[in-house]
Amino acid sequence: MHDDHPQQPRRSSIVRIILVRLTLALVLGLAVVSGLVWGGFLDIPNRFNPFTPLRIADDVNWLTRWKLSRLERREEQCLAVLDGAPLSHTAVPDRDSGDGCGLSNAVEVSRSSVGFNRSFTATCPLTVAWALFERHALLPAAREHLGQEVVRVTHFGTYACRNINHRAGGRRSEHATANAIDIAGFVLADGQQVTVKGDWSGGDGRREAFLRALRDGACRFFDVVLSPDYNEAHHDHFHFDMGSYRACR
């Protein structure tokens, strides 16, 4: 009687060898393509080129989020991206309060393609994420669900030296470094106002759809997006931040 079991390890070894070779071939191929792109021998559109800076106007794809994340460690490049955005801003000097609060790589924003109820100070990466959100989520959603433009955004602010949920103890909020913004509502071209508090649920279906499209769209750009679905503390605003955690609620 022959024992067929010893054949199984041989087949597994062959499969492993094939997979290793395929992986090496893929890595080598990517390295060659990357070298051609980096050296300028292969011309591909900016939005598909991992070596070119992020541009707000480019269509969003799988590289957008990666390019955005790189700006957290590249201050000059981040400011250059903002210079190419329809957004009025001025650089703000760094400030370290020594208690987990302060400003670093921040700008003051007065307006963009929409107005604001007041200017705000935010980190450069958060401001770039806002510019992306505004162009690729906010404005298209208003046209699709409400049939008109958003002309003004109402926010509750960005910088506040405090802990999460205003607790006496615990971690500092992303607001403590101006790395978060709370959005309360929107003013439309005809003067109507849409608010998170009044229109998230139980109201006009178009407004509800608009606000939910904003929440979902924001998750493409911000690291943390919290809505009234998260908890009672967010019943009247969206929280967007560029912190070290990921959440879309």
Side-chain angles (χ1 to χ4, degrees):
M1 179 181 294
H2 294 286
D3 188 353
D4 293 331
H5 291 294
Q7 298 296 328
Q8 296 301 324
R10 293 197 199 101
R11 293 194 187 100
S12 299
S13 298
I14 293 172
V15 170
R16 281 196 296 271
I17 292 171
I18 293 174
L19 290 176
V20 168
R21 288 180 177 176
L22 287 174
T23 301
L24 290 174
L26 178 60
V27 170
L28 179 60
L30 288 174
V32 170
V33 172
S34 297
L36 291 174
V37 173
W38 178 262
F41 300 104
L42 183 61
D43 186 23
I44 61 175
N46 178 80
R47 64 185 184 277
F48 296 123
N49 188 338
F51 301 110
T52 56
L54 177 67
R55 292 200 320 169
I56 304 299
D58 285 344
D59 292 338
V60 178
N61 61 29
W62 63 276
L63 278 174
T64 303
R65 185 85 190 201
W66 181 73
K67 290 185 177 185
L68 178 58
S69 68
R70 290 195 304 172
L71 299 181
E72 296 178 12
R73 299 176 298 277
R74 302 184 180 187
E75 181 175 345
E76 291 185 3
Q77 187 178 107
C78 186
L79 292 174
V81 171
L82 283 183
D83 287 340
L87 188 144
S88 299
H89 66 282
T90 55
V92 175
D94 290 356
R95 185 176 78 227
D96 185 359
S97 65
D99 57 357
C101 298
L103 301 174
S104 177
N105 189 19
V107 296
E108 182 176 357
V109 178
S110 54
R111 70 162 293 118
S112 59
S113 55
V114 300
F116 298 100
N117 58 312
R118 64 180 186 275
S119 62
F120 60 86
T121 299
T123 62
C124 184
L126 178 71
T127 307
V128 171
W130 171 266
L132 287 166
F133 164 75
E134 185 179 292
R135 179 181 178 90
H136 299 287
L138 174 60
L139 300 182
R143 299 182 193 116
E144 177 182 355
H145 296 286
L146 303 175
Q148 57 181 303
E149 301 292 327
V150 167
V151 297
R152 191 176 180 85
V153 173
T154 302
H155 66 87
F156 286 160
T158 51
Y159 179 74
C161 185
R162 62 174 176 82
N163 296 333
I164 295 175
N165 293 331
H166 300 272
R167 297 185 183 122
R171 286 192 300 113
R172 284 297 196 194
S173 168
E174 292 298 323
H175 285 288
T177 53
N179 204 29
I181 186 169
D182 291 338
I183 303 298
F186 311 88
V187 179
L188 306 180
D190 66 0
Q192 292 185 66
Q193 296 190 41
V194 179
T195 66
V196 176
K197 181 178 180 179
D199 297 303
W200 181 255
S201 60
D204 186 301
R206 295 177 307 153
R207 294 184 174 208
E208 290 183 23
F210 167 66
L211 290 175
R212 279 163 174 74
L214 295 189
R215 189 268 312 276
D216 296 344
C219 295
R220 302 165 68 191
F221 309 110
F222 299 97
D223 288 335
V224 172
V225 175
L226 303 178
S227 72
D229 281 351
Y230 179 56
N231 61 15
E232 179 60 25
H234 295 84
H235 74 283
D236 59 353
H237 69 277
F238 293 136
H239 169 94
F240 302 152
D241 79 46
M242 294 298 286
S244 56
Y245 296 89
R246 291 297 302 273
C248 180
R249 301 282 294 277

